[in-house]
Amino acid sequence: MAKLNHIIHQPVRLRIMAALCALEQGGQMDFVYLKKMLNLTDGNLGAHLGRLEDVDFIAIEKTFVARKPRTFICVTGKGRDAFNEHVKSLRLIIEDSQTKKK
Amino acid sequence: MENAMCGNNDNNHENNSEVMVAENPADSLEAIRNTISRTRKAVAGAYGSPLMMLWGGLLAIAYLVSHFYLKHAHIIFWTMAIIGGVGSYLVWALLLRKMPFKEPIEEKMNLRIGAMWWLLFLYVSIWLSLLAPFNGMQMNAFIVTAIMFAYVIMGLWFKEMYLLGTGLFVTAMTLVGFFVLPKIYCLWMAFMAGGVIFAIGLYTKLKWN
């Protein structure tokens, strides 16, 4: 039976991980941009990022660009592996259900 | 307190969503596909659209002016190339500050892309000087199709269909203008080359970002 990842499959975190995994390995995305793209509030996104950071699925870097503070987020190798596994599991579930129907 | 509440909500939500996702894996996969597609488009749009708008706009102006002052076309296009070169550098420098993405391979790729465009410039210049004399229209069509060839290569390289499509479309339009509409070639190219490149740049900026 396919095993879904409890942390990732929460709908908001699923989209956060999908957005970050769409970048090249080591690629980072701006916090404000991610917030706008997923239509979330600062607090909501912050809470979900905190949850993902706690399990080392993402890394958060606070930096200054042209003297302005900016926060960049990237997915870790562990996070990418977990996301890929999660996607595999989703596909397996679909395949299983299709096989059962036949 | 607030965080703790969020944590509690998360846990409840996780338990509920586990059932929800397990029942709707297709929906989850669809959400993943949409988010990945949107992110990739946003990255492509953020990097490509300002430069496409700059060069498309410059090309459209250069062709329009050349249509009315054909004798000065070579000066017009050299001016356009210089403004475009300096403008590209400035736009790129500005973009890197504001960019919402940081790619680890950015610097290497920037160098490779820059090198590719310089090599193309050299290639076109050498062929033009070796195969001269060309008339103005032949030279122009050759330069445009060579640049569009680079768009096609970049489209295949980065798997960006909009670059591939732009390259093929503008090449086709150049051939139509060259063989079918030679009398209004510059006017045709102002809209079908410069105008189209500008429009695609604008579209990707507005829709993909």
Side-chain angles (χ1 to χ4, degrees):
Chain A
M1 177 64 190
K3 203 175 174 185
L4 294 171
N5 188 299
H6 287 239
I7 302 291
I8 294 177
H9 79 209
Q10 196 283 335
V12 175
R13 290 199 286 273
L14 184 80
R15 290 194 297 147
I16 291 172
M17 289 300 287
L20 295 175
C21 287
L23 300 176
E24 297 286 341
Q25 189 123 25
Q28 296 175 310
M29 191 182 285
D30 183 40
F31 179 92
V32 177
Y33 189 84
L34 186 61
K35 182 185 80 174
K36 277 185 193 166
M37 193 172 93
L38 301 179
N39 205 16
L40 300 170
T41 60
D42 280 351
N44 199 359
L45 178 59
H48 284 296
L49 289 179
R51 194 97 169 90
L52 290 167
E53 195 182 23
D54 286 345
V55 288
D56 290 331
F57 283 179
I58 61 160
I60 299 174
E61 186 195 24
K62 291 181 189 233
T63 183
F64 282 87
V65 179
R67 293 181 185 177
K68 286 180 184 169
R70 287 182 69 177
T71 303
F72 285 94
I73 305 127
C74 78
V75 69
T76 60
K78 184 183 172 189
R80 198 176 282 272
D81 290 345
F83 179 76
N84 290 338
E85 278 300 313
H86 186 76
V87 173
K88 260 188 204 169
S89 300
L90 288 171
R91 287 194 181 126
L92 272 178
I93 292 168
I94 293 172
E95 281 170 19
D96 281 350
S97 68
Q98 282 170 347
T99 315
K100 279 174 190 168
K101 274 180 190 173
K102 284 174 187 174
Chain B
M1 173 77 180
E2 202 171 301
N3 284 341
M5 277 176 69
C6 281
N8 285 338
N9 286 341
D10 274 359
N11 290 337
N12 291 336
H13 200 101
E14 266 165 33
N15 293 336
N16 294 334
S17 62
E18 185 172 5
V19 178
M20 186 189 80
V21 175
E23 281 175 358
N24 299 297
D27 290 346
S28 296
L29 277 180
E30 188 60 25
I32 290 169
R33 258 184 234 118
N34 286 341
T35 309
I36 287 176
S37 160
R38 207 174 150 199
T39 308
R40 287 189 178 153
K41 280 180 175 177
V43 174
Y47 284 97
S49 60
L51 291 174
M52 285 183 87
M53 283 168 68
L54 172 75
W55 280 101
L58 284 172
L59 259 182
I61 293 167
Y63 275 119
L64 264 182
V65 178
S66 297
H67 177 72
F68 297 105
Y69 303 98
L70 196 57
K71 282 183 183 174
H72 304 294
H74 62 289
I75 297 170
I76 294 165
F77 274 91
W78 270 113
T79 310
M80 180 208 76
I82 291 166
I83 295 173
V86 175
S88 295
Y89 177 79
L90 293 175
V91 166
W92 198 248
L94 198 73
L95 270 179
L96 288 181
R97 277 186 167 192
K98 290 189 170 181
M99 196 61 77
F101 311 102
K102 274 205 232 169
E103 298 276 14
I105 50 162
E106 204 172 69
E107 281 178 22
K108 248 186 192 174
M109 288 307 278
N110 286 348
L111 282 176
R112 283 188 197 172
I113 294 166
M116 187 194 77
W117 283 103
W118 276 109
L119 281 173
L120 182 77
F121 177 75
L122 264 176
Y123 171 82
V124 169
S125 307
I126 290 167
W127 273 112
L128 285 180
S129 52
L130 283 177
L131 298 178
F134 277 126
N135 69 33
M137 203 169 83
Q138 285 172 326
M139 262 174 74
N140 189 280
F142 176 64
I143 292 169
V144 172
T145 48
I147 292 170
M148 287 305 116
F149 182 61
Y151 268 63
V152 171
I153 290 172
M154 282 179 68
L156 292 171
W157 194 359
F158 297 115
K159 296 176 190 161
E160 295 295 353
M161 294 310 288
Y162 79 105
L163 285 177
L164 183 68
T166 305
L168 293 175
F169 180 81
V170 175
T171 300
M173 291 301 107
T174 307
L175 295 177
V176 170
F178 187 85
F179 289 111
V180 184
L181 304 161
K183 283 184 183 171
I184 55 158
Y185 175 78
C186 283
L187 200 58
W188 172 261
M189 291 298 282
F191 291 101
M192 301 315 280
V196 165
I197 293 172
F198 180 83
I200 292 170
L202 187 65
Y203 178 83
T204 52
K205 182 168 176 56
L206 295 177
K207 294 281 178 183
W208 289 2
N209 276 345

